[in-house]
Amino acid sequence: MISFDDVDKSWGPNHVLKKLNFHVKPAEKVSIIGPSGSGKTTILRILMTLENPDEGIVTVDGDELWNVERGRRIRRETTQMKLTRRKIGMVFQQFNLFPHLSAIQNVMEAPIQVLGMSKNEAHERAKGLLDTVGLGEHLDHKPPKLSGGQQQRVAIARAMAMRPKVMLFDEVTSALDPELVGDVLDVIRDLATSTDMTMLLVTHEMRFAEEISDRVVMFDGGVAVEQGPPQKIFQDPDNERTRRFLKAVLEH
Amino acid sequence: MVWDRGAVSDSFPLLLAGLVVTLEITVLGSLLAYVLGLVFALIRRLRVPVLNQAVYLFVEFIRSTPLLVQVFVFFWVLQPAVGLPISAFASGVIVIGVHYACYTSEVYRAGIEAIPQGQWEAATALNLPRTRVWSGVILPQSVPRVVPALGNYTISMFKETPLLLAIGVQDLLNRAKEYGAETFSVTEAYTMAGAFFLVISYVASLLVRRLESRVGQL
Ligand SMILES: Nc1ncnc2c1ncn2[C@@H]1O[C@H](COP(=O)(O)OP(=O)(O)OP(=O)(O)O)[C@@H](O)[C@H]1O
Ligand SMILES: [Mg+2]
């Protein structure tokens, strides 16, 4: 469903992705772990076209998203890219809800503007999604009136409203107070078990990753240093760096 | 110097007529400055080829020359050269509106830049079309925040309209001058004109301050 082939990315001397090869199967749930600065967010941002690779090919569901030759001028918004991008949804660490719109308007916005849905239809869909994420009582509240956990659940509903084939989650609980994390993880767990969406999660919630992932990928120094089933990675990693990283994280 | 109460009531209708003209210029000039300033800001921000550079040079030019010079150039040089008869009143509105647009464009620019990057990214992630990102996400958030700053420019504009008497606009100050010249009640006429300006500017700036505190809570 997702493929990165020889993808390179640097900022100045900071070589973040080194000839990355990374593939995700349809419906697969993959967790990405690794130390800060290892390029986890960069991978998701390249998929969402918020960042461009310097080199390499990225495809989603068989359609090319990026095909960059080093030194060639990069076109940020091709028609092909826009079409391919529709298959992807993303949930951000900082939610990034539209603060001037109510919860339900946030969720209705893209179906109306992008899919050309009627207001009624979009409203139905948005209401259904907000019910699912436990915000059925807060449809008309604006984001500043909602808790972080509620905002993040609206953000998940907003991304789901476009029925993406691929969902990207970038540390979606890191900005939340600890007592609010559970509700958000519950929503993601439901999605993971009840849909055949391909999911890519960057997370520091190791237990959660272990529970819902089909595969865990450990990134460090611009490459995937180790990957495998969660039990294997978390209980008995082969790689020394994985071992040290997990030890450091789990001690917290 | 004696204060003539009769002159106060006597001049009142004339001054009021002048005040109406002053307010008309301020309102129309502000509307022009609000709309054109936004257009300038968008042209610059979207880097529209050619227009971008043109707006840049134009804004620099307007900001580094006095308003009165611009009024004279428009009324005595440009307007006759083009051969379109534009009244002193309309000329005043256009020149003042365009002049202030060069300042309000800066206000809009700052308002747009204050929108967090995450808003643009969320819009991209949802695939919203460019025009919708502007009309549905960016401007609805930035425009309310800049309303107080726009209000302050309107107040400045209101206080600068008297210089239009140089091209014969029948504004408040011009009427006061006219009344003073006819009746020699110069003191009363100018004092009242000043009082009109004072009261209106003061009330307006109180309103802007209230708006500012409301916007602060956005
Ligand atoms: N826009 C940018 N300009 C310059 N450097 C950047 C930019 N974005 C990311 N980087 C750098 O690229 C590296 C990888 O960043 P990235 O955000 O992908 O890391 P991460 O694995 O998500 O880390 P974290 O766990 O802290 O979120 C970091 O060193 C970061 O400083
Ligand atoms: Mg990150």
Side-chain angles (χ1 to χ4, degrees), chain A residues 20 33 46 63 100 104 117-118 148-149 185 187 198 211 226 252:
Chain A
L20 173 69
I33 61 171
I46 287 175
D63 291 332
H100 59 300
I104 196 154
M117 221 181 242
S118 74
L185 292 184
V187 167
T198 307
E211 182 192 338
E226 181 170 4
H252 274 92

Side-chain angles (χ1 to χ4, degrees), chain A residues 30-46:
Chain A
V30 177
S31 290
I32 299 178
I33 61 171
S36 184
S38 56
K40 307 181 297 293
T41 295
T42 305
I43 291 170
L44 300 196
R45 290 174 61 84
I46 287 175

Side-chain angles (χ1 to χ4, degrees), chain B residues 9-165:
Chain B
S9 46
D10 186 34
S11 65
F12 200 82
L14 193 65
L15 294 184
L16 205 59
L19 178 63
V20 168
V21 171
T22 293
L23 290 174
E24 279 170 356
I25 292 174
T26 308
V27 169
L28 295 174
S30 291
L31 287 179
L32 182 57
Y34 296 167
V35 174
L36 195 61
L38 180 58
V39 172
F40 283 177
L42 289 176
I43 287 174
R44 297 278 291 141
R45 168 80 195 207
L46 299 173
R47 302 219 172 83
V48 182
V50 187
L51 282 179
N52 179 22
Q53 290 81 355
V55 168
Y56 170 78
L57 289 174
F58 184 72
V59 169
E60 286 303 304
F61 165 73
I62 293 289
R63 291 173 69 130
S64 27
T65 52
L67 178 54
L68 187 56
V69 173
Q70 292 159 17
V71 170
F72 278 4
V73 167
F74 185 87
F75 193 66
W76 299 116
V77 183
L78 280 181
Q79 196 246 114
V82 177
L84 280 173
I86 302 177
S87 68
F89 175 86
S91 298
V93 168
I94 292 169
V95 176
I96 276 198
V98 171
H99 179 89
Y100 274 86
C102 295
Y103 291 89
T104 55
S105 70
E106 200 57 23
V107 169
Y108 285 117
R109 187 193 58 76
I112 290 165
E113 269 175 20
I115 302 300
Q117 190 58 27
Q119 294 290 306
W120 295 96
E121 296 184 348
T124 303
L126 291 171
N127 263 295
L128 297 182
R130 277 287 115 180
T131 45
R132 182 60 191 173
V133 178
W134 281 103
S135 68
V137 178
I138 303 303
L139 293 179
Q141 291 185 66
S142 39
V143 170
R145 279 160 206 267
V146 303
V147 166
L150 295 179
N152 279 326
Y153 275 119
T154 291
I155 296 172
S156 307
M157 183 188 286
F158 171 65
K159 291 185 294 184
E160 278 201 274
T161 50
L163 60 74
L164 296 179
L165 76 74

Side-chain angles (χ1 to χ4, degrees), chain A residues 45 48-50 82 85-86 88 90 92 96-100 109-110 113-114 158 162, chain B residues 117-130 132 136-138 140-141 145:
Chain A
R45 290 174 61 84
M48 201 66 260
T49 72
L50 299 173
K82 284 186 202 162
R85 194 166 62 191
R86 278 204 196 178
I88 312 172
M90 182 163 181
F92 300 88
N96 297 346
L97 290 179
F98 304 130
H100 59 300
E109 177 72 11
Q113 299 298 332
V114 183
R158 179 176 71 171
M162 294 296 284
Chain B
Q117 190 58 27
Q119 294 290 306
W120 295 96
E121 296 184 348
T124 303
L126 291 171
N127 263 295
L128 297 182
R130 277 287 115 180
R132 182 60 191 173
V137 178
I138 303 303
Q141 291 185 66
R145 279 160 206 267

Side-chain angles (χ1 to χ4, degrees), chain A residues 9-12 14-17 32-45 50-51 93 170-171 174 202 204 219 245:
Chain A
K9 177 72 185 175
S10 345
W11 276 281
N14 186 359
H15 204 164
V16 179
L17 301 180
I32 299 178
I33 61 171
S36 184
S38 56
K40 307 181 297 293
T41 295
T42 305
I43 291 170
L44 300 196
R45 290 174 61 84
L50 299 173
E51 219 72 76
Q93 189 173 343
D170 188 9
E171 295 196 37
S174 301
V202 172
H204 286 147
F219 273 93
F245 171 73

Side-chain angles (χ1 to χ4, degrees), chain A residues 19-207:
Chain A
K19 292 259 174 263
L20 173 69
N21 285 286
F22 175 56
H23 301 254
V24 180
K25 292 199 286 281
E28 200 181 6
K29 323 291 184 231
V30 177
S31 290
I32 299 178
I33 61 171
S36 184
S38 56
K40 307 181 297 293
T41 295
T42 305
I43 291 170
L44 300 196
R45 290 174 61 84
I46 287 175
L47 278 168
M48 201 66 260
T49 72
L50 299 173
E51 219 72 76
N52 59 275
D54 299 332
E55 197 177 338
I57 298 173
V58 179
T59 65
V60 173
D61 195 23
D63 291 332
E64 210 167 77
L65 190 63
W66 293 105
N67 185 348
V68 183
E69 281 174 54
R70 184 164 293 279
R72 277 274 185 85
R73 205 172 77 88
I74 295 156
R75 289 202 41 210
R76 267 256 145 111
E77 294 256 290
T78 59
T79 314
Q80 162 86 42
M81 186 184 281
K82 284 186 202 162
L83 283 175
T84 310
R85 194 166 62 191
R86 278 204 196 178
K87 299 178 177 175
I88 312 172
M90 182 163 181
V91 183
F92 300 88
Q93 189 173 343
Q94 299 295 341
F95 334 134
N96 297 346
L97 290 179
F98 304 130
H100 59 300
L101 301 181
S102 67
I104 196 154
Q105 286 171 327
N106 263 277
V107 183
M108 289 164 66
E109 177 72 11
I112 292 174
Q113 299 298 332
V114 183
L115 306 178
M117 221 181 242
S118 74
K119 273 223 166 102
N120 285 338
E121 211 182 340
H123 192 275
E124 279 303 296
R125 182 184 281 195
K127 190 170 177 321
L129 285 164
L130 287 169
D131 276 336
T132 318
V133 300
L135 272 123
E137 308 280 291
H138 303 279
L139 301 182
D140 297 318
H141 288 153
K142 292 194 175 172
K145 288 252 170 345
L146 300 172
S147 75
Q150 291 172 329
Q151 289 189 51
Q152 193 58 297
R153 285 181 281 149
V154 175
I156 293 172
R158 179 176 71 171
M160 288 297 298
M162 294 296 284
R163 308 228 165 119
K165 293 192 168 177
V166 175
M167 270 284 257
L168 312 173
F169 297 87
D170 188 9
E171 295 196 37
V172 295
T173 55
S174 301
L176 300 178
D177 292 336
E179 73 272 20
L180 302 176
V181 168
D183 288 341
V184 174
L185 292 184
D186 288 344
V187 167
I188 299 175
R189 185 185 295 108
D190 276 352
L191 291 180
T193 50
S194 68
T195 69
D196 58 2
M197 243 182 348
T198 307
M199 289 170 54
L200 212 51
L201 290 96
V202 172
T203 184
H204 286 147
E205 302 279 344
M206 298 302 163
R207 280 187 217 308

